[in-house]
């Protein structure tokens, strides 16, 4: 009898987990083999129009002038949306109040009402509200600006040189999976994600196609584990 292999589709939370959870049942680096990183989605600095700012520089200036006045929403303590904001705060030298939520719907409702002022989330999650002008995307957290499906400069280009924080997506396999099979899977994923229709769907969802295979992906994850650990420590997030 031949058995198949269980593959794991992960995002950046995989690299965050070692820093925020005390007792993981697995070793993030030793137990998995990277197949391929396939895409990234930058966060966007999204604000309520009621905040009264229209550019990322105005946002930073307002936050510096009124420390611990503005509230930013996240998907929970230690989430990617939390760490994107925490990293931004440390680089921009601002102090804001963190308010964790359990669902995106509540974040949208409270931002539109002005109860919360900002969130640092992939723009695809709030695309309808951004395109309707109900929420404002001041900048994106990739190294370069975004032209579609929203138009926004990057934080790095206009406010904080070098700032970058994106959510990545990729596939892993058990570490003992034969190398030849890993290569076959990586090549297949490269073919699929390189297809024109897939790339177009990515763009419409504010996702950027990016391919790193096998050892390159493993090295990328290792570097991100180290980066996320530094951000978690700087944010004062204790292991849960």
């Amino acid at each position: 009898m031949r058995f198949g292999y269980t593959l794991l589709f992960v995002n950046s939370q995989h690299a965050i987990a070692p820093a925020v959870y005390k007792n993981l049942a697995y070793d993030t680096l030793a137990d998995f083999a990277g197949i391929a990183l396939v895409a990234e989605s930058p966060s966007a600095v999204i604000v309520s129009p009621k905040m009264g700012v229209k550019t990322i520089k105005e946002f930073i200036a307002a936050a510096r002038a009124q420390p611990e006045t503005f509230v930013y929403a996240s998907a929970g303590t230690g989430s990617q949306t939390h760490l994107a904001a925490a990293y931004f705060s440390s680089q921009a030298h601002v102090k804001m109040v963190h308010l964790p939520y359990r669902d995106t719907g509540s974040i949208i409702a409270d931002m539109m009402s002005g109860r919360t002022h900002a969130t640092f989330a992939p723009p695809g999650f709030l695309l309808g509200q951004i395109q309707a002008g109900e929420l404002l995307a001041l900048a994106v957290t990739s190294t370069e600006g975004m032209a579609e499906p929203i138009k926004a400069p990057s934080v790095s280009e206009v406010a904080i040189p070098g700032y970058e924080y994106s959510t990545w997506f990729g596939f892993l396999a058990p570490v003992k999976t034969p190398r030849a099979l890993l290569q076959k899977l990586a090549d297949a994923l490269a073919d699929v994600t390189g297809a024109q229709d897939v790339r177009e769907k990515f763009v419409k969802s504010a996702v950027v196609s990016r391919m790193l295979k096998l050892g390159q992906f493993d090295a990328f994850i290792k570097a991100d584990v180290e980066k996320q650990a530094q951000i978690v420590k700087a944010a004062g997030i204790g292991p849960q």
Side-chain angles (χ1 to χ4, degrees), residues 159-210:
I160 309 173
Y163 173 85
E164 187 275 331
Y165 194 96
S166 294
T167 297
W168 54 261
F169 305 90
F171 289 86
L172 306 175
V175 71
K176 293 184 179 180
T177 304
R179 177 78 178 187
L181 180 55
L182 292 175
Q183 184 67 62
K184 186 175 182 179
L185 290 168
D187 291 343
L189 286 168
D191 289 343
V192 170
T193 56
Q196 184 64 29
D197 60 335
V198 174
R199 286 179 173 271
E200 289 174 356
K201 289 179 181 177
F202 278 174
V203 169
K204 290 179 181 178
S205 300
V207 173
V208 179
S209 179
R210 181 181 181 187

Side-chain angles (χ1 to χ4, degrees), residues 46-50 108 111-114 126-137:
I46 303 168
V47 302
S48 164
K50 295 180 183 295
I108 293 173
M111 286 192 65
M112 290 176 63
S113 71
L126 304 172
L127 192 56
Q129 290 74 26
I130 295 170
Q131 292 179 331
E134 297 169 334
L135 296 174
L136 304 179

Side-chain angles (χ1 to χ4, degrees), residues 1-23:
M1 181 180 293
R2 297 186 64 184
F3 294 91
Y5 294 89
T6 300
L7 305 182
L8 182 64
F9 180 66
V10 296
N11 61 24
S12 304
Q13 204 67 40
H14 180 69
I16 295 170
V20 297
Y21 296 112
K22 291 180 181 178
N23 300 307

Side-chain angles (χ1 to χ4, degrees), residues 45-69:
V45 184
I46 303 168
V47 302
S48 164
K50 295 180 183 295
M51 190 176 176
V53 299
K54 293 186 177 180
T55 68
I56 190 65
K57 286 187 175 181
E58 289 178 356
F59 175 80
I60 293 172
R64 285 176 178 171
Q66 303 174 70
E68 298 184 343
T69 296

